Amino acid sequence: MLQTHAHVTRADFALDVECDFYPGEVTAIIGPNGAGKTTLIETVAGLLPPSKSQIVSAGTTLQNDAEGVFVPPHARAAALLRQTPLLFPHLTVFENIAFGPKVARRPRTEIKAETEKWLRALTLEDFRERRPHELSGGQAGRVALARALASRPKILLLDEPTAAFDINVARDFRRLLRHHVSGSEIITIMVTHALEDVAEVADRVVILENGHITESGMALECLQRPRSKFLADFSGTNRVLGASVGDYFDVDGLRLQLRSAAPVGARFAAISPSKVHVGRTGQWEAEVVAVAARGRGYAVTLSRPHGLVAQVSWADFADLPLEIGKKVGVTVNAVDVHAYT
């Protein structure tokens, strides 16, 4: 386990975070720009000057400013991958991957075996003699991941690893990352702005806002039942604030039927936009407030409950009067309303 107590002050920004990370799990760090995400992983990596931080990995203190302990970056068994692969331009793919084992002074036969292992694992055998300028962005990203894993890190840090990839390359990278770190002894911390990274790779999620953790938990549960406005916006889930009364949820003067009695004290309800049905008639009437293209259709924002979003297909959009200011009927089935505390 990695115990992180980071208190970092940089100019007019302060990061104050206490969080634990676990081997074999991927923790996604998300939040708005300037929230402190990169500052957090750079503190764990040892790249920032000590500033009232305490970091303990598997019982070994990496940093404790009060006691004057600071393990330098190269001795932390941590690998950091940036958005740009940063491969050594003068080395081949094979030599880039072999770099970590060489620095660790492993036997020559072990270096070769480890390098061959990751060439195969990330399907890079055909590129072994190429240099970075001869690779595509996706190939370079896989080489950077192979180089990091070949160094046998205890901590793998990723700063927006898929941001520079196209859709298909990003999907392949996420699949490879998940396959090789899930269930391993590696502690993986990933900063991202991509919902797909969280949904497809992460076990846990931590939301940072203005230097503080505002929400955390298991990734899929948090995405489906967001408590913070940021996470609701990030996940595209409707998060409505109201009050539960038995098997109803009251919001904006509406009584939304629940499948069963809500938990005691439930104040939030989560509704997927795809489960909000709009038509000429419905359970209640609302006005169209905004329309925006999203995915394979349109996100239609409604006036009641305030800010509720419906995901409407292209075909349905063309068939309905969904211009701004128009009145529509809205229906949400009880099975699709999830109330929580």
Side-chain angles (χ1 to χ4, degrees), residues 66-332:
E67 298 177 3
V69 177
F70 184 82
V71 175
H74 68 271
R76 293 195 178 200
L80 173 60
L81 268 68
R82 302 281 194 181
Q83 180 177 331
T84 304
L86 299 178
L87 301 176
F88 299 115
H90 61 291
L91 299 181
T92 65
V93 167
F94 184 96
E95 292 165 339
N96 264 281
I97 298 173
F99 181 80
K102 281 186 176 180
V103 169
R105 298 182 180 276
R106 298 188 206 162
R108 184 173 300 179
T109 55
E110 189 177 322
I111 293 172
K112 186 176 186 303
E114 188 77 14
T115 305
E116 295 286 355
K117 167 188 170 182
W118 290 110
L119 281 169
R120 290 191 302 273
L122 277 81
T123 60
L124 292 166
E125 300 102 316
D126 294 342
F127 310 106
R128 60 192 302 132
E129 296 304 323
R130 293 192 189 182
R131 285 183 164 74
H133 71 276
E134 300 174 299
L135 302 173
S136 69
Q139 292 160 359
R142 297 207 311 273
V143 174
L145 179 60
R147 183 178 64 180
L149 295 173
S151 67
R152 297 181 185 174
K154 293 180 180 177
I155 306 167
L156 179 62
L157 305 166
L158 304 111
D159 195 355
E160 297 192 57
T162 64
F165 299 154
D166 64 31
I167 294 173
N168 292 328
V169 171
R171 185 185 302 117
D172 289 342
F173 186 90
R174 288 191 292 268
R175 176 181 56 80
L176 289 167
L177 176 63
R178 180 74 186 173
H179 176 73
H180 291 294
V181 301
S182 181
S184 70
E185 293 302 310
I186 301 173
I187 294 166
T188 305
I189 306 173
M190 174 178 61
V191 166
T192 183
H193 285 101
L195 173 61
E196 295 82 0
D197 287 349
V198 180
E200 297 175 22
V201 181
D203 299 286
R204 296 177 184 270
V205 64
V206 171
I207 294 86
L208 271 185
E209 297 185 74
N210 196 29
H212 298 272
I213 295 175
T214 56
E215 189 173 352
S216 65
M218 302 307 293
L220 291 182
E221 181 180 342
C222 286
L223 291 177
Q224 292 169 355
R225 293 169 173 77
R227 287 174 171 79
S228 64
K229 183 180 185 303
F230 173 84
L231 187 54
D233 292 343
F234 179 86
S235 65
T237 299
N238 286 301
R239 162 189 170 271
V240 295
L241 180 64
S244 61
V245 182
D247 58 354
Y248 287 90
F249 190 82
D250 284 357
V251 54
D252 278 4
L254 296 171
R255 299 188 76 190
L256 302 180
Q257 178 73 51
L258 301 172
R259 181 172 56 178
S260 58
V264 175
R267 297 177 56 246
F268 299 103
I271 309 169
S272 170
S274 65
K275 303 300 183 181
V276 179
H277 307 286
V278 296
R280 289 179 173 81
T281 61
Q283 294 170 341
W284 71 87
E285 190 178 67
E287 186 176 299
V288 175
V289 174
V291 177
R294 178 193 287 176
R296 298 182 177 180
Y298 294 89
V300 178
T301 304
L302 304 168
S303 63
R304 191 176 182 216
H306 175 71
L308 188 73
V309 175
Q311 181 70 20
V312 180
S313 70
W314 292 323
D316 288 343
F317 184 86
D319 189 49
L320 292 168
L322 291 177
E323 296 89 356
I324 293 174
K326 293 289 186 179
K327 300 284 188 179
V328 294
V330 185
T331 301
V332 178

